[in-house]
Amino acid sequence: MKKIFFFSLFSLLLLFGVQVRAQHVAFPLPIKKNLVKRLTEQLAPKPKTNWKEVNRVGLDLSEVAFVNWNAGGSNSISGLAELVLERNYSDNQRKWRNKLTTRYGVNSQEGQELRKTDDMLEVTSDFGYRRDTISNWYYSAKFRFASQFTNGYKYPDTSTPISQFMAPGYVFLGVGGEYGQKLDNLSIYASPLTYKSTFVLDQELANNGAFGVDPAIYDDDGNIIRQGSNVNSELGILLQSSLNAKVMENINLTNLVNLYTDYLNSFGNIDIDWEMNLNFKVNSFVLAKVGSHLKYDNDVKITETNVNGEEVTMGARTQWKQQLGIGVVVDF
């Protein structure tokens, strides 16, 4: 009888101790909920979707400072911010890609006002359809809009802008065919029918005939008879090649070439837009980039100052921009 009594007492004490220890290690209710939620997300299969999202923001900074530096130099700081948003749809026969790219850069140098170094606003959308899953040819339609955010100047003159938002603004809309086994990596697009509109909504620039629009007409006294046109429309051929390749481990190459010629005005005179970038991925957040952007547009004339101090409009020239930077890139 005593053995049964002591055994029962020992069992009660053991049970009580286990409950006390359990109370000490028990998780609070919110932590329990978070654990359950995370475990559920990991174990439950994610719903399949044909949509792919890309959200990326980047910031490059560079700075030079001198204190009693006998070789000379001026203090300066530069910054470049970039935002890229993509919404892409893909299934066995259809592809629909949408992309927003914005970039803005400034430079502050000792003894000078703040100057713009980069300014870009671009929206692209293209839709492709193929009849079967064997062919790599797509019937394709493409849309592109490009402009800038703020005024552009021919420094050091900041009194007269040479470009503004929607001056110019470009709209491309065309239909054609696109070839590529994996369009995100390599594609070739040809459109025999592409409509191009150049908008110059600043009337002063339009009156000067900037970016290919018809200039204003003046009488003998210098009074405007007819305002300059705000839109220049063209219809022509567009050829485009896009390459996104992995050169080496953590080194990617992107290369985009656009060639356009107008049927009615100067057919055979080709507008070129060629952008190439090498991206060096240091880690998940740090990225170094070397970029080159070459453009030629027969409608963009260069102005120079002659010996008499007068602004003279010259012919079109090749435009080139080179970039080298390292910064932080975050996907969200």
Side-chain angles (χ1 to χ4, degrees):
M1 192 70 178
K2 290 182 179 180
K3 291 182 179 181
I4 297 175
F5 173 79
F6 284 113
F7 180 78
S8 302
L9 180 61
F10 177 77
S11 301
L12 289 174
L13 291 174
L14 181 61
L15 181 59
F16 178 77
V18 170
Q19 289 178 347
V20 171
R21 285 194 298 272
Q23 289 177 0
H24 283 294
V25 299
F27 292 107
L29 186 59
I31 298 179
K32 284 183 178 179
K33 289 184 177 179
N34 291 335
L35 284 173
V36 172
K37 181 180 178 181
R38 289 199 296 269
L39 289 174
T40 304
E41 291 177 350
Q42 293 176 2
L43 296 176
K46 294 182 179 180
K48 292 183 178 180
T49 178
N50 293 324
W51 286 93
K52 180 181 178 182
E53 295 184 4
V54 175
N55 305 294
R56 181 179 302 116
V57 61
L59 179 63
D60 297 344
L61 292 174
S62 62
E63 182 262 350
V64 179
F66 301 92
V67 177
N68 301 324
W69 193 254
N70 63 354
S74 58
N75 301 334
S76 68
I77 183 170
S78 301
L80 174 64
E82 182 180 44
L83 173 66
V84 177
L85 302 176
E86 294 185 39
R87 299 293 184 270
N88 302 324
Y89 175 88
S90 176
D91 60 28
N92 291 332
Q93 293 179 281
R94 289 173 292 271
K95 291 184 181 292
W96 185 24
R97 295 169 292 181
N98 305 278
K99 185 175 183 180
L100 167 67
T101 305
T102 63
R103 233 178 11 240
Y104 198 82
V106 293
N107 171 264
S108 177
Q109 190 166 335
E110 187 178 11
Q112 296 180 353
E113 73 280 5
L114 190 69
R115 295 187 176 186
K116 181 173 66 172
T117 59
D118 202 349
D119 191 355
M120 176 184 177
L121 169 62
E122 183 179 77
V123 178
T124 60
S125 180
D126 59 83
F127 178 82
Y129 171 78
R130 60 180 178 177
R131 292 182 176 179
D132 52 58
T133 58
I134 301 175
S135 174
N136 293 323
W137 278 101
Y138 290 80
Y139 301 103
S140 184
K142 287 183 179 286
F143 167 82
R144 176 174 176 253
F145 165 77
S147 188
Q148 62 191 58
F149 290 102
T150 61
N151 294 352
Y153 298 97
K154 190 176 182 180
Y155 296 110
D157 179 15
T158 58
S159 60
T160 305
I162 60 173
S163 61
Q164 298 181 13
F165 174 71
M166 290 302 294
Y170 298 101
V171 171
F172 290 85
L173 182 61
V175 292
E178 186 171 17
Y179 178 84
Q181 186 174 4
K182 293 183 178 180
L183 296 182
D184 294 335
N185 297 335
L186 175 63
S187 69
I188 299 173
Y189 170 78
S191 169
L193 204 63
T194 294
Y195 173 75
K196 174 186 176 183
S197 286
T198 304
F199 295 88
V200 183
L201 300 188
D202 179 78
Q203 197 57 53
E204 185 174 349
L205 290 172
N207 290 339
N208 294 331
F211 307 106
V213 299
D214 294 331
I217 298 178
Y218 299 85
D219 60 16
D220 295 335
D221 297 326
N223 299 314
I224 295 179
I225 300 175
R226 191 191 69 187
Q227 295 280 359
S229 176
N230 296 112
V231 182
N232 180 38
S233 299
E234 301 174 72
L235 186 65
I237 302 172
L238 176 65
L239 299 177
Q240 184 183 85
S241 173
S242 176
L243 171 67
N244 186 0
K246 184 176 181 180
V247 180
M248 297 177 64
E249 187 68 26
N250 293 338
I251 300 178
N252 283 0
L253 169 69
T254 60
N255 188 70
L256 179 63
V257 181
N258 290 283
L259 305 175
Y260 180 83
T261 185
D262 180 45
Y263 283 121
L264 303 178
N265 301 316
S266 303
F267 179 75
N269 195 336
I270 300 174
D271 294 340
I272 303 172
D273 191 336
W274 177 19
E275 185 172 8
M276 182 173 62
N277 293 299
L278 272 172
N279 298 315
F280 302 84
K281 188 176 181 180
V282 181
N283 54 41
S284 300
F285 299 101
V286 180
L287 181 72
K289 182 171 70 173
V290 178
S292 171
H293 195 172
L294 186 144
K295 296 175 68 175
Y296 176 83
D297 190 337
N298 193 52
D299 295 327
V300 180
K301 310 299 183 182
I302 303 298
T303 60
E304 295 182 355
T305 304
N306 61 16
V307 294
N308 299 322
E310 300 173 338
E311 289 288 333
V312 179
T313 301
M314 311 296 289
R317 303 283 178 84
T318 300
Q319 307 169 51
W320 184 60
K321 180 178 67 175
Q322 183 270 334
Q323 286 182 312
L324 172 62
I326 182 170
V328 178
V329 178
V330 179
D331 294 322
F332 62 95

